[in-house]
Amino acid sequence: MQLRGFRIELGEVEAALLQVEGVAQSVAAVVVDERLGERLVGYVVPRTGCAVDAAAAIEASGRFLPEYMVPDAVVVLEALPLTANGKLDRRALPAPEFTSSSEFRAVSSPVEEIVAGVFAEVLGVERVGADDSFFALGGNSLLATKVAARLGAAFDTKVPVRTLFEAPTVEQLAVAIGTVTETVSRPPITAGDRPERIPLSLAQQRMWFLNQMDTTSPVYNIPMALRLKGALDRDAIDAAVADLVARHESLRTRYPSDQDGPYQEVLAPEEAGLSVGHVRVDSESDLFEQAATMLNEGFDVTQRPPVRVRLFELGAEDHVLAFVVHHITADGESMAPLGRDMMTAYLARTRDAAPGWKPLPVQYADYALWQRTVMGDESDDESLVARQLAYWRDALAGMPQQIDLPTDRPRTSNPSPAGGSVRFTVGADVQERLTALARAHNATLFMVVHSALAVLVTRLSGARDFAIGTPVAGRGISELDDLVGMFVNTLPLRTSLDPSLPFAELVDRVRTADLEALDNADLPFERIVDEVVPKGTAAPLIQVVLSVEPMGQAEFTLPGLTIEPLQGGAPTAKFDLQLTLADNGNGFVGEWIYAADLFDRATVEKLSDRFVRVLDAVTTDSSVPVGDVEILSDEERRALTSGAAEQETGTSGRSTRVVSQLFTANVEQDPEAPAVSVDGDEVTYREIDRRSSQIARLLIEEGIGTGDVVGVVLDGSVDGVCALWAVLKSGAAFLVLDPSGEPLPEATPAVELVLSRGAVTGHPRILDLTDPAVEARVDEASAAQVTYTDRLRGLTPDDPAWVHVSGSRVGVVDHGSLAGWLENSQERFGVTYESRLFYGGSGEGHGKALTPLLAGAAGAAYVTTGNGNGSGDDLTDVLADEWVTHAVVGSDAPGKVDTTSLDDLECFIVEDTDTPAEDGSGAVDVVALGSWSAHFGK
């Protein structure tokens, strides 16, 4: 059976317990504890005349079992309970008391006493000693955040979550708390007097503005629909909902605004106007149609409390209870207390009694006021809000705000909320290895899965520095446990990867970053975005979100009723990709929610398969460098290999990216790597990226965009390379021009503008990058990466990227074809990020444009002599002095160069013939660049 992600053989546990000295009989069972969940328990009967100590039995069994199969508790019995037939009566086995396996040692100081009390409260353990470990008693990362918050409140100090990982026992944690000197002076939350005007909580502010932008949108609706089969007391349902409204102020709060902005207005229960709407439906289709309409209808949160409840009646014993609330009023975690209270109230009302629940210690409005006090003022450098703002500024400094995921369609400036869903499973064996890896690194399961997802993202996008988002519950203090309200927050977890880094070391790096982020989780995500994303930039800070431990879900059970959730409807997409993993008892059930504007279902299905392969690979061998993790299936690998061979015979696959994305990925991977070397002077990828982005913005200012053609003069200068990438970033297509003004064929598309360093004959509209006025405009332009929000028109892989001329023939190549050639040619010609490419051809072939593009797409260096050429004896010197690995040359060059002295040179790539001759010495491979038509047809 499965327990905490591991396959447990109860027979092996029982056999190990029988090896313990003095044990005559043993039974192993998985027992469900109300607070700690499933726990492995051993029951033993001593031999006659022998005594067995439970703690010693646990320790002794560990000599025969792996750690995850050692019982959490051992119960010593005089005899095993039997049925009348003489069989083991498992139901009669007594409930165990979960304690640490260490010998009990009482706490010895007031600090230890408080720590032990918090452990006991959160974990539901009656007795906690000085040597007891939080994690051995059943703690996990989610409970750790609660312990940290409650200890912080108790000691009026900041207790970082990481402290619990580093000092997990009561004694160790008490010592660690004693060394903490950062006083936070958080007042206790109370239901005290309120001002006449109650502000929104920090998280509610953005929800309010989003709602007012479009009150018809259902994007931030939280729906729940339950199918109730059996004898339902409809009057009791009505009364129970009224009880809920009276108990939870948030369900009867609206959010109007005045000259000072939005605020909370708590209504009396009778003023809220919230009651159960009873609707009779005639068929399943009618039911789904009406329920979907009700659940997807928007709210205007300024007018009335944003809550709706309907009871649909399909038959006398067939109902659907549908509930929807706006996110400003509740979050996913609220569904648990809401469900508990609904059940309590319904059962009471079926007996004509009022629910006997304990009064809530505080309401959401009290929390909003308390939060404002605790966070303080941003102008106060010592306030919590100021300190956390400083942390996030530093933590996210320099991180690219957008990564180029392999989307099927370009991002639009006004995306829809349309989403899709792909479900998948992860086997129990992989889950078991994930859990073991987490334990080995003193990490959580989330941290290991976060690391694996980061590997997938970097392999798909080429990015090495990005943030993955994750939701956090935001309910650290105990007074918030039973409240309905908007507490959830999203944390941007920055992840930096080096392809050579072993996965195990990545887990350690991620663990450190995640723990630091958790210690600064009070600041709302929207405020973080405002702080770190430049004004006027629409690029998202987070595109991928991960949740391994989903928000609390209510489980409804009522006597006489069969209850199951009603599924249906397409999900809404708040991010590009959102991944959720949930334990199903035999592995994980996973779900990707994707933005339908960007992805096709088939693409996400392939992505999902690759994620499972990453999980399998990194848990099989955690020492594997992340750049070597295999994400392709055998079939994909065969197709890629055969595709490289087919390329030489005239066919090639297209890319789903536009060309500039290939370059941008390498900027993010290694911004300080050499991108261009001109006569020995090297310029980095960061510098080329910034300069080309500035020039691209100039083009956009000039009205240049997708579908336009811009002439580029490649003169061997850095600006020539920057101009090439600038055109592609703007969305336009480039055409390499001869500065002498050689006439173009009549079929050539109109050239809107020319980028050059000097005059170009025959083209009146020129941006001369040596002109001081143009230089000033370039310097004043933003050097931030150009994104879809900056371009005049959308850009897709089907749009033109390159117009090439060969004699009287004119060809137009789109982004998908050019990017595909650049991707495939890296493998074909053996070009890597360590390569150095040189163009030494005549200037009349395609190599003049393709060489700097291929270098930029591979993260390699493009070598130029400054005059754009190299020939004869000069060529040999350049190849030697610049450590050139790949030289694109004419067909006669290889035979004229003595390659025996060129240790770095790997191959000549001949641009003007399909059947090159060998080089003079035969020491270097000679391959053909080939004509463009040989790759993609005429």
Side-chain angles (χ1 to χ4, degrees):
M1 67 178 303
Q2 287 294 311
L3 178 65
R4 300 192 291 269
F6 290 94
R7 184 180 292 110
I8 303 294
E9 297 290 344
L10 294 179
E12 293 183 21
V13 178
E14 293 168 353
L17 290 171
L18 287 174
Q19 300 296 315
V20 176
E21 184 176 356
V23 173
Q25 294 176 289
S26 69
V27 170
V30 172
V31 176
V32 179
D33 181 80
E34 183 177 345
R35 293 297 299 272
L36 302 179
E38 293 183 326
R39 287 291 183 245
L40 180 60
V41 179
Y43 296 88
V44 299
V45 176
R47 294 176 187 162
T48 303
C50 294
V52 175
D53 179 73
I58 294 173
E59 182 179 357
S61 67
R63 296 197 295 267
F64 311 104
L65 294 168
E67 182 183 354
Y68 63 85
M69 288 177 62
V70 175
D72 298 300
V74 166
V75 179
V76 181
L77 303 174
E78 292 183 2
L80 294 177
L82 303 176
T83 66
N85 297 325
K87 296 182 179 180
L88 177 67
D89 187 355
R90 289 186 175 271
R91 290 179 298 181
L93 291 169
E97 178 181 346
F98 293 102
T99 62
S100 170
S101 59
S102 61
E103 182 179 350
F104 181 82
R105 184 165 63 91
V107 296
S108 58
S109 72
V111 175
E112 288 184 3
E113 184 177 354
I114 293 173
V115 172
V118 171
F119 278 18
E121 176 192 3
V122 173
L123 298 174
V125 179
E126 289 188 8
R127 189 177 73 159
V128 179
D131 298 315
D132 288 339
S133 166
F134 171 74
F135 296 101
L137 291 173
N140 56 38
S141 58
L142 285 183
L143 294 177
T145 60
K146 287 191 173 184
V147 168
R150 294 177 191 190
L151 288 175
F155 293 106
D156 193 25
T157 189
K158 169 77 171 178
V159 179
V161 176
R162 67 162 56 247
T163 304
L164 208 53
F165 283 77
E166 296 167 351
T169 71
V170 169
E171 183 178 53
Q172 292 169 342
L173 189 54
V175 172
I177 291 173
T179 65
V180 175
T181 58
E182 181 185 359
T183 301
V184 295
S185 299
R186 292 195 179 193
I189 184 171
T190 60
D193 295 334
R194 299 176 183 173
E196 183 176 342
R197 188 179 185 280
I198 302 171
L200 303 185
S201 72
L202 298 178
Q204 284 181 322
Q205 291 180 125
R206 181 165 172 78
M207 283 295 113
W208 189 91
F209 285 107
L210 288 171
N211 172 260
Q212 291 303 288
M213 289 172 61
D214 183 3
T215 58
T216 66
S217 173
V219 172
Y220 291 97
N221 284 6
I222 302 177
M224 181 173 63
L226 300 174
R227 192 74 174 254
L228 312 174
K229 291 191 174 182
L232 179 71
D233 188 334
R234 290 190 289 273
D235 292 337
I237 286 285
D238 293 346
V241 170
D243 290 330
L244 287 180
V245 173
R247 178 169 172 79
H248 294 281
E249 286 184 356
S250 55
L251 298 179
R252 46 187 168 92
T253 299
R254 63 183 178 188
Y255 309 89
S257 65
D258 55 20
Q259 65 274 14
D260 296 321
Y263 61 95
Q264 299 186 57
E265 182 182 1
V266 181
L267 304 176
E270 62 274 12
E271 297 175 337
L274 178 62
S275 60
V276 180
H278 292 256
V279 181
R280 172 72 186 181
V281 290
D282 300 323
S283 63
E284 290 282 343
S285 60
D286 187 24
L287 167 65
F288 277 96
E289 181 180 350
Q290 292 207 45
T293 299
M294 172 256 183
L295 295 173
N296 289 294
E297 184 180 347
F299 293 101
D300 184 346
V301 302
T302 66
Q303 299 301 308
R304 59 182 57 87
V307 184
R308 280 191 297 270
V309 186
R310 299 282 188 276
L311 183 65
F312 296 96
E313 182 183 350
L314 190 60
E317 295 192 351
D318 191 0
H319 298 78
V320 169
L321 181 63
F323 173 90
V324 62
V325 60
H326 193 274
H327 207 350
I328 198 172
T329 289
D331 55 19
E333 188 97 348
S334 298
M335 297 301 105
L338 193 67
R340 289 195 302 267
D341 288 349
M342 181 67 185
M343 287 186 289
T344 300
Y346 177 80
L347 289 173
R349 292 303 178 180
T350 58
R351 299 191 297 267
D352 295 324
W357 46 42
K358 291 170 56 178
L360 292 171
V362 293
Q363 293 285 348
Y364 191 82
D366 302 312
Y367 163 77
L369 293 166
W370 174 82
Q371 182 193 44
R372 298 273 177 167
T373 301
V374 168
M375 295 299 289
D377 194 296
E378 290 185 19
S379 62
D380 177 6
D381 292 341
E382 298 303 315
S383 67
L384 181 61
V385 65
R387 285 184 283 121
Q388 293 202 2
L389 275 171
Y391 165 79
W392 287 111
R393 275 196 302 267
D394 181 63
L396 302 177
M399 186 188 76
Q401 264 111 49
Q402 184 172 326
I403 57 177
D404 291 319
L405 294 169
T407 61
D408 296 294
R409 286 166 292 281
R411 192 182 303 276
T412 64
S413 58
N414 187 27
S416 78
S421 172
V422 169
R423 295 177 181 270
F424 66 98
T425 59
V426 178
D429 55 335
V430 175
Q431 183 191 38
E432 190 173 305
R433 298 199 301 267
L434 285 167
T435 306
L437 186 59
R439 289 185 176 181
H441 289 265
N442 195 25
T444 64
L445 185 63
F446 171 86
M447 295 169 184
V448 178
V449 177
H450 173 191
S451 303
L453 180 58
V455 171
L456 179 71
V457 170
T458 196
R459 295 296 299 276
L460 291 175
S461 67
R464 296 187 188 179
D465 187 11
F466 49 86
I468 290 176
T470 191
V472 290
R475 295 172 182 252
I477 56 176
S478 59
E479 290 86 349
L480 307 181
D481 288 350
D482 296 325
L483 275 188
V484 171
M486 168 59 168
F487 300 97
V488 70
N489 194 17
T490 300
L491 295 186
L493 304 176
R494 186 172 187 174
T495 313
S496 300
L497 291 88
D498 183 323
S500 64
L501 189 71
F503 181 77
E505 293 184 24
L506 175 61
V507 172
D508 293 335
R509 180 181 294 184
V510 165
R511 173 185 176 274
T512 299
D514 288 1
L515 287 174
E516 289 177 354
L518 285 170
D519 284 328
N520 291 273
D522 300 291
L523 196 67
F525 172 68
E526 292 75 21
R527 185 64 187 88
I528 297 173
V529 173
D530 291 341
E531 187 67 21
V532 304
V533 176
K535 302 298 182 185
T537 301
L541 184 64
I542 289 176
Q543 293 163 254
V544 182
V545 171
L546 169 66
S547 177
V548 173
E549 295 163 321
M551 291 300 183
Q553 297 176 354
E555 293 185 3
F556 285 86
T557 56
L558 292 171
L561 291 171
T562 301
I563 305 177
E564 58 186 25
L566 189 69
Q567 304 292 344
T572 56
K574 300 181 182 70
F575 303 92
D576 293 359
L577 293 167
Q578 186 167 352
L579 171 62
T580 300
L581 285 182
D583 190 338
N584 70 348
N586 191 34
F588 287 121
V589 173
E591 182 182 28
W592 294 92
I593 294 177
Y594 60 89
D597 284 0
L598 299 177
F599 297 97
D600 292 332
R601 180 180 176 85
T603 300
V604 181
E605 287 175 341
K606 183 181 294 186
L607 180 151
S608 181
D609 292 341
R610 290 176 175 177
F611 176 63
V612 175
R613 277 194 288 275
V614 170
L615 291 177
D616 183 45
V618 298
T619 56
T620 299
D621 179 11
S622 63
S623 67
V624 61
V626 296
D628 293 343
V629 175
E630 182 59 79
I631 67 171
L632 299 180
S633 66
D634 292 341
E635 182 179 353
E636 288 173 324
R637 176 61 63 187
R638 284 192 298 270
L640 182 62
T641 305
S642 62
E646 289 172 359
Q647 184 174 338
E648 299 180 7
T649 64
T651 61
S652 175
R654 290 169 52 80
S655 175
T656 59
R657 303 191 198 186
V658 296
V659 179
S660 59
Q661 288 178 314
L662 306 182
F663 175 76
T664 301
N666 289 308
V667 175
E668 294 174 353
Q669 287 178 1
D670 194 352
E672 301 307 319
V676 179
S677 175
V678 182
D679 292 327
D681 294 329
E682 292 187 340
V683 183
T684 67
Y685 269 86
R686 186 196 303 277
E687 292 169 316
I688 296 295
D689 179 55
R690 292 176 63 84
R691 176 74 170 172
S692 62
S693 292
Q694 290 174 310
I695 298 172
R697 293 182 191 279
L698 231 64
L699 293 174
I700 294 169
E701 284 181 13
E702 294 289 331
I704 299 299
T706 305
D708 295 327
V709 178
V710 175
V712 175
V713 177
L714 297 179
D715 58 359
S717 67
V718 170
D719 269 351
V721 178
C722 289
L724 195 62
W725 287 113
V727 174
L728 292 166
K729 287 182 176 184
S730 74
F734 70 87
L735 168 64
V736 178
L737 294 176
D738 186 335
S740 66
E742 183 175 338
L744 297 170
E746 290 185 6
T748 306
V751 177
E752 299 291 334
L753 182 146
V754 173
L755 281 173
S756 71
R757 290 170 53 83
V760 179
T761 305
H763 296 279
R765 191 180 178 199
I766 297 174
L767 275 179
D768 181 355
L769 297 175
T770 63
D771 183 331
V774 174
E775 284 185 335
R777 290 179 63 192
V778 171
D779 291 341
E780 291 172 0
S782 169
Q785 291 182 357
V786 177
T787 70
Y788 70 98
T789 60
D790 301 307
R791 299 187 185 103
L792 299 179
R793 295 178 286 278
L795 179 64
T796 75
D798 296 326
D799 290 313
W802 175 28
V803 177
H804 59 83
V805 176
S806 296
S808 61
R809 292 179 300 171
V810 178
V812 178
V813 181
D814 63 36
H815 276 270
S817 296
L818 181 53
W821 184 88
L822 293 170
E823 290 171 339
N824 293 335
S825 292
Q826 294 175 48
E827 182 169 347
R828 182 184 179 214
F829 299 129
V831 178
T832 71
Y833 66 93
E834 296 178 321
S835 301
R836 295 174 68 85
L837 280 69
F838 173 76
Y839 178 72
S842 65
E844 298 177 357
H846 296 324
K848 191 167 188 176
L850 291 176
T851 306
L853 290 178
L854 180 56
Y862 171 58
V863 176
T864 174
T865 59
N867 60 10
N869 256 319
S871 60
D873 295 335
D874 290 342
L875 176 60
T876 304
D877 293 340
V878 169
L879 298 181
D881 294 343
E882 291 285 350
W883 311 303
V884 171
T885 61
H886 298 73
V888 181
V889 295
S891 58
D892 60 339
K896 297 179 180 179
V897 176
D898 180 9
T899 56
T900 56
S901 62
L902 301 175
D903 296 334
D904 298 295
L905 188 63
E906 298 175 13
C907 73
F908 287 111
I909 304 173
V910 178
E911 70 169 336
D912 54 3
T913 178
D914 291 339
T915 55
E918 294 294 327
D919 77 281
S921 64
V924 175
D925 291 336
V926 182
V927 295
L929 181 66
S931 66
W932 187 256
S933 61
H935 296 290
F936 295 97
K938 298 180 180 180

